[in-house]
Amino acid sequence: MASLAAAGGSAVADNLPPNLPPNVPQWMREPGAGFLNPAYGLPSPFEKNVLRKLPDQPSPFPTATRTPLQSLFGTNTPNGLFFERHHAGVPAIDPAQHRLMLHGLVERPLLLSMKDLLRFPAVSRSHFIECSGNSMAEFKAPGKGSVQDIDGLISGAEWTGVRLADVLREAGLKASASWILAEGADAAAMTRSIPLAKALDDALLVYGQNGEMLRPEQGYPLRLLLPGFEGNMNIKWLRRLKVGDAPFQTREETAKYTDLMPDGTARQFTFAMGVKSVITAPSARQVLDGHGFREISGLAWSGHGRISRVEVSLDGGRQWQAATLDGPVQSRALTRFRLPWVWSGQEAILQSRAVDEAGNVQPTRAALIGTDGQNSIYHYNAIQSWKVASNGEVSNVHV
């Protein structure tokens, strides 16, 4: 400070905030609170606006909330901000009364309590879950909302549970077994057909999320986790697994969750979510507060494995440069990418393009519509474009 003053830097001293010594604020003069109340910790009250978001349209029975991607760091979503999607509300289940039935084409049908399941060897893995309807409005026209409104039906977590393969081995599969019906204990009795190959590969029966028991809206006390598969297949409040020799053709894989093609046919069993990415900062409805350096950051994921690279464009896709990936990069998990950027104040179109280890490349919107048309509402994974105006306002555009 003395050297600055000697060099005529008095403007620095003049601009110092008034709460530096000796004029310290009151919160520096007195002891703070002890153990905070309640006993389960809460975020700072200054973060009260970082919340899941209900649908914009009033509804007597909302079925989904969206994760505030633009406000999060890293890749794991806090349990209180993990998106929700349910079909008949959240049931209140006593884990002591809950049972998982395993029957059908097995040698030894099982009826397992939560205590029984907790005795199996446990594993913990990080994976994302994405609703297959995430970003669905982008098939038609640019969304007007934030990245939370457009892409908020995805979240990532560390899950703890039991390998489904271990439980199936305990029951003993019959030779003709090839599919499994998974059923939830909610009032909708949500059911989906699961390929046996997936069940024996990396499927989990999870009871833990980010180090604690599942939240009720995430399937407490037990849910099926199928890493990389569309969200509704990860059956919550799991109560029944029936092994069969063919798909069970449930409502949620015939009338719903199929992709209507341009020729009028419907594509069924689009299980794995496509390679996808989105820039979360800067993103729609944000305003850049001045020119100069800032970091472009976002998330990438793929239902087909690990993200191998992410590229970022500042000019609507004409030129691309490689972004840095935060490690560890895990299979079928969210991956954080970053790129340094100096904004000059000129208009820019920001895009990100992800590539996974299987060689899948995130498509342009034109390419996706060219193959799938605009009649579908599921599995939209096209490149997202954010327009930065010269005044710093960021909005969603299609280019």
Side-chain angles (χ1 to χ4, degrees):
M1 290 292 292
S3 62
L4 282 172
S10 59
V12 175
D14 292 341
N15 290 329
L16 288 174
N19 58 359
L20 289 180
N23 301 313
V24 297
Q26 187 62 31
W27 51 264
M28 291 182 65
R29 299 184 183 186
E30 59 187 33
F35 296 108
L36 296 180
N37 191 29
Y40 191 93
L42 297 174
S44 164
F46 296 101
E47 302 297 324
K48 62 183 179 182
N49 294 323
V50 181
L51 300 168
R52 288 182 292 208
K53 188 170 185 179
L54 291 168
D56 290 332
Q57 298 298 323
S59 171
F61 186 62
T63 61
T65 62
R66 296 172 184 265
T67 293
L69 299 175
Q70 70 280 358
S71 300
L72 302 183
F73 308 100
T75 54
N76 274 0
T77 307
N79 291 346
L81 297 175
F82 204 99
F83 87 92
E84 297 175 70
R85 177 72 176 97
H86 34 79
H87 292 246
V90 179
I93 298 177
D94 179 353
Q97 301 297 317
H98 190 69
R99 298 293 184 271
L100 173 65
M101 177 187 292
L102 175 54
H103 65 123
L105 296 178
V106 296
E107 301 292 344
R108 297 171 295 278
L110 302 175
L111 188 63
L112 300 170
S113 68
M114 289 305 301
K115 286 185 177 181
D116 294 330
L117 288 167
L118 285 166
R119 294 173 66 181
F120 278 81
V123 296
S124 293
R125 298 182 192 148
S126 292
H127 295 294
F128 73 85
I129 294 180
E130 181 181 19
C131 176
S132 57
N134 198 25
S135 319
M136 65 169 62
E138 297 299 300
F139 265 114
K140 305 297 183 183
K144 301 296 185 182
S146 67
V147 67
Q148 179 176 17
D149 299 309
I150 298 168
D151 297 301
L153 294 177
I154 184 169
S155 302
E158 180 190 72
W159 307 93
T160 300
V162 175
R163 298 178 187 87
L164 178 52
D166 291 346
V167 178
L168 292 173
R169 190 176 299 109
E170 185 77 7
L173 293 170
K174 293 188 176 180
S176 56
S178 58
W179 288 81
I180 298 176
L181 178 75
E183 180 182 82
D186 57 332
M190 182 73 177
T191 48
R192 286 298 306 263
S193 298
I194 313 300
L196 182 62
K198 181 66 171 178
L200 296 176
D201 180 19
D202 59 358
L204 299 175
L205 305 177
V206 298
Y207 43 76
Q209 180 180 355
N210 288 333
E212 65 178 8
M213 292 296 289
L214 291 169
R215 296 290 177 93
E217 67 271 23
Q218 298 304 327
Y220 179 86
L222 186 68
R223 84 177 291 172
L224 177 65
L225 183 70
L226 302 174
F229 274 25
E230 58 183 355
N232 68 87
M233 297 183 71
N234 297 264
I235 301 295
K236 295 186 283 190
W237 314 294
L238 184 68
R239 70 177 176 187
R240 187 163 71 99
L241 295 170
K242 181 179 180 180
V243 181
D245 58 4
F248 290 82
Q249 305 294 351
T250 74
R251 174 184 181 272
E252 308 301 339
E253 57 203 26
T254 52
K256 303 295 181 182
Y257 298 107
T258 58
D259 301 308
L260 185 59
M261 296 288 100
D263 63 0
T265 61
R267 185 175 61 197
Q268 192 180 21
F269 298 146
T270 309
F271 294 137
M273 299 302 292
V275 61
K276 191 172 178 180
S277 68
V278 63
I279 294 172
T280 57
S283 59
R285 303 190 72 172
Q286 296 178 348
V287 179
L288 303 189
D289 55 354
H291 306 165
F293 175 82
R294 63 193 66 246
E295 185 177 67
I296 296 173
S297 179
L299 295 167
W301 61 95
S302 174
H304 299 281
R306 290 177 175 82
I307 293 296
S308 60
R309 73 178 187 271
V310 176
E311 299 167 323
V312 173
S313 175
L314 309 176
D315 55 12
R318 290 190 292 273
Q319 302 178 81
W320 296 90
Q321 49 189 309
T324 299
L325 305 183
D326 286 358
V329 178
Q330 302 179 78
S331 181
R332 300 177 175 91
L334 295 181
T335 298
R336 175 71 60 176
F337 64 88
R338 306 179 190 277
L339 182 79
W341 180 42
V342 178
W343 183 50
S344 65
Q346 295 181 329
E347 182 179 296
I349 304 292
L350 307 182
Q351 297 180 332
S352 62
R353 178 174 66 187
V355 182
D356 66 26
E357 63 181 345
N360 299 299
V361 181
Q362 187 177 2
T364 63
R365 181 172 180 274
L368 183 65
I369 290 175
T371 58
D372 290 9
Q374 289 186 279
N375 295 324
S376 180
I377 60 172
Y378 302 115
H379 304 107
Y380 185 90
N381 69 321
I383 292 171
Q384 174 68 55
S385 302
W386 303 128
K387 177 181 177 180
V388 181
S390 57
N391 64 358
E393 293 183 358
V394 187
S395 60
N396 180 15
V397 294
H398 284 169
V399 297

